[in-house]
Amino acid sequence: KLVSKVFICYCGIGFKQSCADYSLFTQVHGSSLTIILLYVDDMIITGNDEEVICKLKHFLGSQFRIKDLGSLKYFLGVDIGTFESKGLLMDENCAVIATHAEKHTMENPKPNHFEMDAETIWWGDFCKISKALLAETGISNAEIACVGVSTMGAGLVAVDENCMPLMKAIPYGIDARAEKEIEYMYEKYGEDEVIQFNGRPLCANDVPPKILWIKNNLPEVYEKAHKFLTGSSFMTARLT
């Protein structure tokens, strides 16, 4: 209800909602650019025209009960890569304050099978990098205004109700274990229906064949799984 009300409110005063990220709203008037990023009941407002921003905050205050927490301070970004994870801290002027990297490995237990430990690598690297950046700079976690995390494409991991991994994570298209599952899905649904639900032809990078592979080859994991999460979904769940 809140998101719907905010959407109507923003669009009513000329903001456009991003098609790529529904929590992102932008407004452009000549050379003036204003950006709003909404997350649950928090929002970040930025832009290049302080007068417009002040008017916007006044308007929002007339529509919602809001509390202005002041200017943002620092932003933390972490990317979980194939063989290395990297992180950085930057300030509100986009100046990089510090960087840190953690190397890791990828397992190859058999041909076409590649695996990563979501707990020790995906989540573990994030924790190591975050702690290292805060320790190096002396910045407290209370000064971090926003956290951004990216991971390797369509990686997949099955988790229980506590978001604990039940298996090694299957990374993106480098893993080709689900070839038979892709063939089966084409035979069962046909090319047109496959493209309709997947948006394009199936390949080793896609999640549905991987889930079917787990069902066919790891039935005990499939039965215990509460959710099947991509890398970004896993990290978001852990952070929230």
Side-chain angles (χ1 to χ4, degrees), residues 54-219:
C54 288
K55 289 180 178 179
L56 174 61
K57 290 194 288 186
H58 179 75
F59 171 76
L60 292 175
S62 70
Q63 303 295 312
F64 308 97
R65 294 179 59 189
I66 64 173
K67 181 179 181 181
D68 189 347
L69 300 179
S71 299
L72 298 176
K73 295 184 179 179
Y74 299 101
F75 301 86
L76 169 67
V78 177
D79 174 62
I80 310 298
T82 305
F83 294 106
E84 185 179 54
S85 298
K86 300 177 181 179
L88 64 80
L89 272 175
M90 68 179 187
D91 64 17
E92 66 269 27
N93 297 312
C94 295
V96 175
I97 306 302
T99 63
H100 185 81
E102 290 284 339
K103 293 187 179 298
H104 55 247
T105 59
M106 181 184 295
E107 299 175 37
N108 182 204
K110 61 176 71 172
N112 294 328
H113 287 235
F114 292 85
E115 299 176 343
M116 300 186 80
D117 191 311
E119 183 67 25
T120 60
I121 295 179
W122 290 0
W123 180 244
D125 278 7
F126 176 85
C127 294
K128 290 176 184 176
I129 290 170
S130 300
K131 291 177 180 178
L133 288 170
L134 295 180
E136 178 182 341
T137 60
I139 295 170
S140 69
N141 55 6
E143 295 179 280
I144 305 299
C146 185
V147 176
V149 183
S150 61
T151 61
M152 302 172 297
L156 180 74
V157 63
V159 300
D160 63 17
E161 293 182 354
N162 297 312
C163 202
M164 294 300 295
L166 298 171
M167 57 178 286
K168 294 289 180 69
I170 304 173
Y172 56 102
I174 190 174
D175 182 281
R177 71 181 68 188
E179 294 279 340
K180 292 182 179 179
E181 284 70 24
I182 292 175
E183 293 177 7
Y184 169 81
M185 294 177 77
Y186 273 114
E187 292 174 1
K188 181 175 177 61
Y189 299 107
E191 184 176 354
D192 290 342
E193 190 169 347
V194 165
I195 292 177
Q196 184 176 359
F197 74 70
N198 195 55
R200 56 177 172 75
L202 286 169
C203 66
N205 199 50
D206 291 314
V207 168
K210 296 174 185 175
I211 295 177
L212 184 57
W213 183 91
I214 294 172
K215 181 180 180 181
N216 292 340
N217 296 273
L218 300 173

